[in-house]
Amino acid sequence: MTGPADASREQHYLPAMGKRWLLPLYDPFARLVGVGRVHEQLLDLADLRPGQRILEIGCGTGNLLRALGRRRLDVDALGIDPDPAVLRRARRKAARAKLPIRYERAFAGALPLPDDSFDRVLSAFMLHHLDEDDRTRALREVGRVLRPGGELHLVDIDGTPSGRRAGRAHRDPRLAGSLPERVLAALTDAGLTGVTENGRGRSRLGGVVFYRAAAGRAG
């Protein structure tokens, strides 16, 4: 099996920074808010080992996999994103750094990839951009492409209201979907196992939460 039958069907997606014309600000903004430090934490938690196949969903301009490449692990790394513009930047950056990272256009909810083909799936600050249906499809696809014993490691913003927002519903439904309890429930509902909150951290965006889940099939 190579993925859902509608994998090539065009879908709506949110461009990096929300607007296509803001793309040149994507990498400076990521540096400003400390995304690189969060990426390093995610890679530490993912327990990556030589010889593994690594997939990043929603790779943007490729900063997470470039950080992985700098660790010089002998891994096979693939990043997917629906935005052709960010993929062009990701490929240029990998080529300049002489890193053998592949980038392909695909939607997380319709991966054109075989079953049981990756040891690790990574995701950074992507999940909260998806509505509930798209999130469900994406997480089920993660479970499908993970090998038995494979793991998903993701980090996203903590949507828990704080300060003056405390005690009232979050106005943005996508940020409300980033509440840790809702993310954990979504991972479980997708058929993943060993679902757990794997750590917390901070960036200038606010609090972030790390999660871990494993493929639902027995090894």
Side-chain angles (χ1 to χ4, degrees):
M1 181 174 178
T2 59
D6 63 349
S8 63
R9 178 173 55 83
E10 190 61 32
Q11 303 175 47
H12 170 76
Y13 63 89
L14 183 68
M17 299 295 291
K19 303 286 185 181
R20 288 181 174 83
W21 61 271
L22 289 174
L23 179 57
L25 300 178
Y26 183 92
D27 286 329
F29 178 77
R31 289 192 294 271
L32 177 66
V33 300
V35 167
R37 184 172 63 254
V38 176
H39 283 170
E40 295 292 345
Q41 280 184 269
L42 180 63
L43 294 174
D44 288 342
L45 290 167
D47 188 28
L48 304 175
R49 303 171 190 174
Q52 289 181 328
R53 295 197 70 205
I54 312 298
L55 171 68
E56 182 188 2
I57 55 174
C59 64
T61 64
N63 294 323
L64 176 60
L65 292 184
R66 282 180 68 226
L68 170 59
R70 289 193 293 269
R71 296 185 176 211
R72 301 298 175 186
L73 287 175
D74 180 19
V75 298
D76 178 9
L78 168 66
I80 65 101
D81 199 283
D83 189 337
V86 299
L87 291 172
R88 286 193 292 270
R89 287 179 177 250
R91 290 174 184 134
R92 286 198 299 267
K93 287 158 66 175
R96 285 198 299 266
K98 298 181 179 179
L99 296 173
I101 303 168
R102 294 176 294 117
Y103 292 101
E104 297 179 7
R105 185 171 189 249
F107 290 85
L111 296 172
L113 300 167
D115 294 358
D116 306 333
S117 53
F118 288 89
D119 300 288
R120 294 288 185 273
V121 176
L122 306 177
S123 172
F125 299 110
M126 185 276 285
L127 205 64
H128 75 273
H129 288 297
L130 305 180
D131 63 28
E132 186 172 354
D133 289 342
D134 286 340
R135 181 177 63 182
T136 297
R137 282 191 288 269
L139 294 176
R140 286 177 179 166
E141 280 290 89
V142 166
R144 181 181 67 79
V145 302
L146 276 173
R147 290 170 173 163
E151 296 177 353
L152 165 67
H153 288 265
L154 72 89
V155 61
D156 210 337
I157 58 175
D158 183 354
T160 304
S162 61
R164 287 180 296 177
R165 293 183 297 158
R168 59 194 176 102
H170 206 297
R171 292 179 181 177
D172 187 329
R174 292 188 177 179
L175 290 181
S178 198
L179 292 168
E181 57 267 29
R182 294 186 66 175
V183 175
L184 293 168
L187 292 166
T188 300
D189 291 346
L192 296 165
T193 63
V195 172
T196 186
E197 183 182 309
N198 206 24
R200 296 204 174 206
R202 292 202 65 82
S203 73
R204 291 183 181 175
L205 292 171
V208 300
V209 185
F210 298 86
Y211 304 91
R212 174 195 171 277
R217 299 170 304 284

